[in-house]
Amino acid sequence: MRLSLSVLLLLSSVGIALAQTREQAVAAARDGRVEQGISELRSLIAAGDTSPNTAYDLAVLLVSAKRPREATEVFERIGTTDTPEYVLLAMTRAYWDQRRYEDGERLARRGLAAFPANRDWSKLFGLIAGEAADHSGDVYTALRYYGDAIRQLPEDRDLRNAAAGLLARMGAPYAASSILGQPDAGLDAQKAATMVRWGDQVRPPALELRFAGTDAALARLDELIAKASATESPDAGLIARLRRDRVVALRDRERWSDAVTQAEALRRDGDRLPIYVRLAEADSLLALRRPSEARAAFEEVIAAEPQSQNALIGRFYAEVEDEDFRAAFATADTEAARQSPTSRSSNAAVIIPNPDWLGDRITAGQARNYAEMNADAWWRLYPLSQQAPALGYLRAAVGSVAAARGWPRLAAEEVEIAASLAPQDLGGQIALAEYALRLRNYAEARKSATDLERLYPANASVQRLARDIDSFDRFEFRTESHSYAENGSVLADAPGDGFDTINRIYSPPIANNWRLVGGFDASYAHPEEGPVNRYRIGGGLEWRIPSFTMEATGWSNTGGLNRGSASVVANWSPTDHWNLGGSAELYSAETPLRAVLNGITGDSVRLSAGYDWQESTGLAANVGVMDFSDGNHRVSGGFYFVQRLVDNPHLKLTLRPELYASANTKADAPYFNPSRDLSVVPGFDLTHILWRRYEHSFSQRVTGGVGAYWQQGFGTDAIVTATYEQIYGVSPNTDLHYGATYARRAYDGELVNSVSFLLGLSRRF
């Protein structure tokens, strides 16, 4: 009996001592000596303390020391379900800190059931369950958990912050701001960024208001930048985000120069531009006609985001405008090859058309059109338009190619269809105006261009259309001069050395379809008989209506002969393929100067007809009659055929065989007039664009041929002609060309070599 009592007293004193030691450890932790408290509690457990309270206290202190994994390891070894609330709260947070959401939710549910009066459990469960759902990607379930908890604790800031943060990440800053219920600079910045996006995506009821949303976004960004910059300690990150969004808004507002300037300013300030800002800068550089810089920017975006369709399309257009068509073809064809005609629906049960497949093939076809490889473009785009006849921008693309192939009526028909399918599409509206101009519906074209320029003043295509209309409304001056030099001694039948110049000036349109025309021509030659010249000055009217042009002029001639002359020239295109022409002239400009020297004039009539299958294949024939005042009657005619053999972006080679024949009724005239002659020359035309940047270009051209010339009574001789010419597109309104020609011809059996030089200018002012 005494022994039992002694054991009980001993155990009681040990328990009291252990409890006092545990309390001392906890007190040390409360005094800020957390690690000491943890060490002492671990020592107690190691010495055999099996009290759950000691383990609970150790687990709680480990949570305080931010060692949640160790805390939950201790907690899991206790093995009891009768857990005090303060321990359960700490362990729930410890599991949450480790993102062990399932365990955290399990303890939170225990707390809700065991301690329903403590609303902290509702908060904790909402936060953990919400974060778990968010972490798994189920953001809407996360919002539901946050919302349920907020309804129970409407004033709790942690719950509102969690819900607002999730909404902000979901791109709903206005909802986040409403949940948060207090000012927040970050959310204000995000709301301004949303305004930028809405300004670009939301279409207002009137086109005149299409920038209203973007203008409002810019105003708000400027306000926030000023506010953030004026604080005592400006938030550099916040200001940088606002400035980046401003670059995007400036791009959307078509303030291209401002967008590039602001992007460069960010870069100077040490900001490494995010991809979305670099893309906005690239778009702006392309709009500013800086394609090489734009290409580099688009490449940077693609390197970071290889599937960015905006960057891929932007790079394609930069390559086109940089005249690097090999790269443009590679870009378009690679994207087209990646796609298949169909794809499966989201549930993989239904096969549906793949719009990207069609879009990429349209782009590949347009690439050939931009490179002036129009036959290739046509056979790529036309079949697609038969399979997708209601796709507006495809019909517009087909119309563009049709126009380039010399089919203006078909082009206008396609463009009208495209405009009816997509009446708000800017490209279609521009195309309608362009084809109205091409078809000589000048009043309609001018009105359309004026309306578009008012609505889209910064658009490059609209500006080009406005320039075309402006060019049409200007004076036009054309001049071309040739000098001729023949080799050897004076030849009895050759025209002789000489010079000629032809100059025309046209007025701006009068009542849209009329133009005044004036001109001055001069011709000089030095045949065997001596020098002779002819000067013409005069003018008249030009009349232009759809498919028909006529010019009637009267002239005063001086020099070898002083007398008047008149001419009428008309051209008619009844279809997209047929071209008919005719001219009649009293004292024709074709009258040889040797005839003029001998007081002889000639009146002429000429008719022509041509059929062009497309821009690269066609044929034409002409026949003319000239009656000379000395009684000679000349009939002449010709035929030629053209076929393009090489059709590359900067190189075109066309075969051009020609046949010419004439007959004269009078022999021994004092000018070259073979009784019968015939020439056959397989000619060619090679054009090479050396450099081109938008409206400015520099190219070279070689034309010529080697053939045979037969003259009755003198047999057959080989003839040669070769011309080298350079063409400089100085500006949209000025073209300059110059070159030299070598010719080997036969006159009554005598071969004559000649060299001529030419200089020409076309200028609108």
Side-chain angles (χ1 to χ4, degrees):
M1 183 69 177
R2 289 180 180 176
L3 177 61
S4 300
L5 183 59
S6 298
V7 170
L8 288 173
L9 289 172
L10 176 62
L11 291 174
S12 176
S13 63
V14 170
I16 293 170
L18 289 174
Q20 290 175 343
T21 305
R22 178 171 60 83
E23 289 295 337
Q24 290 171 354
V26 172
R30 288 173 180 160
D31 290 339
R33 292 172 284 137
V34 177
E35 292 300 328
Q36 177 183 333
I38 291 173
S39 178
E40 291 176 358
L41 290 173
R42 284 192 184 279
S43 297
L44 286 173
I45 294 172
D49 186 345
T50 59
S51 170
N53 291 332
T54 304
Y56 286 147
D57 287 342
L58 175 59
V60 172
L61 289 183
L62 286 168
V63 172
S64 300
K66 301 190 182 305
R67 290 151 68 176
R69 184 179 60 80
E70 296 178 46
T72 54
E73 288 175 353
V74 171
F75 176 72
E76 289 165 1
R77 287 196 296 267
I78 297 173
T80 179
T81 58
D82 188 17
T83 307
E85 184 178 13
Y86 78 95
V87 177
L88 199 61
L89 281 169
M91 293 306 101
T92 303
R93 291 191 174 94
Y95 282 122
W96 182 19
D97 289 342
Q98 297 174 74
R99 292 189 175 181
R100 293 173 61 178
Y101 297 117
E102 185 175 347
D103 292 324
E105 283 189 54
R106 177 174 51 81
L107 292 190
R109 289 183 186 277
R110 280 178 57 186
L112 279 171
F115 311 103
N118 188 348
R119 306 193 73 176
D120 285 348
W121 289 108
S122 297
K123 170 181 175 177
L124 198 55
F125 177 78
L127 290 171
I128 295 174
E131 186 175 311
D134 182 15
H135 190 261
S136 68
D138 190 354
V139 294
Y140 298 105
T141 297
L143 285 174
R144 178 169 60 81
Y145 280 127
Y146 291 145
D148 290 345
I150 289 172
R151 278 190 288 276
Q152 297 181 56
L153 300 166
E155 302 302 322
D156 189 87
R157 184 53 51 193
D158 292 333
L159 287 167
R160 288 187 173 274
N161 286 342
L166 177 56
L167 286 166
R169 284 188 284 108
M170 292 172 64
Y174 286 91
S177 182
S178 176
I179 287 288
L180 195 61
Q182 64 183 23
D184 183 272
L187 282 178
D188 287 342
Q190 193 175 351
K191 286 193 286 185
T194 303
M195 291 176 67
V196 173
R197 186 172 69 252
W198 288 346
D200 179 56
Q201 296 176 351
V202 177
R203 293 290 174 260
L207 286 173
E208 293 85 350
L209 302 175
R210 72 186 186 283
F211 290 133
T214 303
D215 287 336
L218 279 168
R220 181 58 174 158
L221 286 167
D222 289 341
E223 178 185 344
L224 292 175
I225 290 171
K227 182 178 179 181
S229 301
T231 60
E232 201 170 305
S233 299
D235 185 338
L238 173 64
I239 295 172
R241 292 197 301 274
L242 292 167
R243 291 175 63 190
R244 293 167 185 167
D245 290 333
R246 192 170 188 275
V247 173
V248 177
L250 289 169
R251 184 274 311 273
D252 296 343
R253 186 58 178 84
E254 299 182 2
R255 289 169 55 180
W256 319 115
S257 295
D258 290 340
V260 171
T261 299
Q262 292 301 311
E264 291 172 346
L266 278 167
R267 199 178 285 111
R268 283 195 306 271
D269 291 343
D271 188 17
R272 184 173 181 180
L273 300 184
I275 290 303
Y276 73 94
V277 181
R278 188 68 166 132
L279 180 60
E281 183 184 26
D283 291 337
S284 301
L285 287 167
L286 186 58
L288 291 171
R289 296 189 165 192
R290 293 161 62 177
S292 297
E293 297 172 72
R295 282 179 72 177
F298 284 124
E299 289 285 4
E300 185 178 321
V301 175
I302 292 168
E305 299 179 2
Q307 300 306 314
S308 172
Q309 286 299 309
N310 289 336
L312 288 166
I313 291 297
R315 183 181 67 179
F316 165 74
Y317 282 106
E319 290 163 347
V320 168
E321 297 193 17
D322 210 19
E323 294 287 324
D324 188 351
F325 289 106
R326 178 175 297 181
F329 293 166
T331 295
D333 294 347
T334 298
E335 290 304 305
R338 288 179 180 172
Q339 301 291 342
S340 60
T342 60
S343 61
R344 291 190 177 273
S345 61
S346 58
N347 61 8
V350 180
I351 296 176
I352 58 176
N354 179 6
D356 291 338
W357 176 87
L358 180 59
D360 288 340
R361 273 156 179 75
I362 293 171
T363 300
Q366 289 177 306
R368 275 67 183 182
N369 181 215
Y370 299 146
E372 299 176 351
M373 296 171 59
N374 300 308
D376 191 356
W378 178 260
W379 292 116
R380 287 172 180 266
L381 293 174
Y382 181 72
L384 294 176
S385 71
Q386 300 305 295
Q387 298 174 54
L391 189 58
Y393 82 95
L394 173 56
R395 302 300 291 262
V398 170
S400 177
V401 179
R405 305 210 77 188
W407 306 330
R409 293 171 179 81
L410 177 60
E413 179 181 326
E414 290 291 332
V415 168
E416 288 173 358
I417 292 172
S420 68
L421 293 170
Q424 298 301 317
D425 181 65
L426 175 58
Q429 296 178 55
I430 293 171
L432 279 175
E434 289 175 340
Y435 293 120
L437 182 61
R438 185 174 285 112
L439 293 174
R440 297 174 180 169
N441 296 320
Y442 301 121
E444 178 185 340
R446 188 180 289 106
K447 180 181 183 303
S448 297
T450 300
D451 292 342
L452 290 172
E453 193 174 15
R454 176 176 54 83
L455 292 172
Y456 305 95
N459 184 275
S461 297
V462 172
Q463 291 173 348
R464 183 181 63 249
L465 174 64
R467 285 195 300 269
D468 291 343
I469 297 293
D470 177 68
S471 294
F472 173 73
D473 287 335
R474 292 170 176 245
F475 282 94
E476 181 182 4
F477 175 67
R478 304 176 195 162
T479 181
E480 185 159 308
S481 302
H482 300 80
S483 65
Y484 307 91
E486 296 177 349
N487 70 326
S489 58
V490 176
L491 302 170
D493 298 306
D497 297 343
F499 171 83
D500 66 57
T501 180
I502 299 174
N503 305 276
R504 295 288 182 274
I505 186 167
Y506 293 86
S507 74
I510 300 171
N512 289 315
N513 300 109
W514 296 86
R515 289 199 300 178
L516 297 174
V517 56
F520 170 75
D521 302 342
S523 303
Y524 166 83
H526 198 296
E528 179 183 50
E529 299 90 332
V532 59
N533 53 45
R534 175 180 177 178
Y535 304 103
R536 299 205 314 164
I537 187 169
L541 285 172
E542 180 191 58
W543 182 44
R544 297 181 293 185
I545 58 173
S547 77
F548 185 80
T549 301
M550 183 175 68
E551 184 177 303
T553 52
W555 302 89
S556 171
N557 297 271
T558 58
L561 287 173
N562 297 328
R563 63 182 59 185
S565 63
S567 66
V568 176
V569 180
N571 290 282
W572 179 37
S573 300
T575 72
D576 277 348
H577 300 284
W578 282 102
N579 295 281
L580 306 176
S583 64
E585 190 168 13
L586 299 175
Y587 186 10
S588 172
E590 297 179 22
T591 304
L593 285 178
R594 293 185 70 170
V596 174
L597 180 62
N598 290 275
I600 301 169
T601 63
D603 302 330
S604 66
V605 174
R606 185 166 296 279
L607 299 174
S608 64
Y611 187 88
D612 296 322
W613 283 269
Q614 62 267 335
E615 83 293 355
S616 58
T617 306
L619 55 82
N622 66 81
V623 61
V625 176
M626 178 172 283
D627 286 324
F628 291 91
S629 59
D630 63 351
N632 183 36
H633 183 74
R634 174 182 293 171
V635 177
S636 62
F639 172 86
Y640 70 84
F641 174 76
V642 295
Q643 177 61 57
R644 184 163 294 166
L645 302 179
V646 177
D647 193 14
N648 292 332
H650 295 116
L651 185 69
K652 313 291 183 187
L653 175 61
T654 303
L655 182 67
R656 187 186 176 97
E658 297 186 39
L659 181 147
Y660 171 82
S662 72
N664 289 272
T665 59
K666 182 178 177 63
D668 301 324
Y671 49 88
F672 182 59
N673 67 327
S675 56
R676 299 285 188 278
D677 68 351
L678 174 70
S679 67
V680 179
V681 179
F684 71 92
D685 185 328
L686 177 67
T687 302
H688 178 211
I689 298 173
L690 297 167
W691 170 85
R692 180 169 57 192
R693 182 55 54 94
Y694 299 103
E695 296 85 10
H696 309 283
S697 64
F698 184 64
S699 59
Q700 58 185 351
R701 183 183 182 196
V702 179
T703 59
V706 177
Y709 175 75
W710 170 83
Q711 182 180 347
Q712 186 174 359
F714 296 94
T716 303
D717 293 289
I719 58 175
V720 178
T721 179
T723 299
Y724 176 76
E725 188 177 3
Q726 291 183 342
I727 304 98
Y728 179 30
V730 181
S731 72
N733 292 314
T734 305
D735 289 304
L736 175 68
H737 64 277
Y738 48 86
T741 298
Y742 165 78
R744 181 178 186 264
R745 299 185 178 91
Y747 298 91
D748 293 343
E750 295 188 64
L751 294 175
V752 176
N753 295 309
S754 67
V755 176
S756 65
F757 298 93
L758 66 95
L759 175 65
L761 175 70
S762 174
R763 170 71 175 163
R764 290 180 180 268
F765 61 94

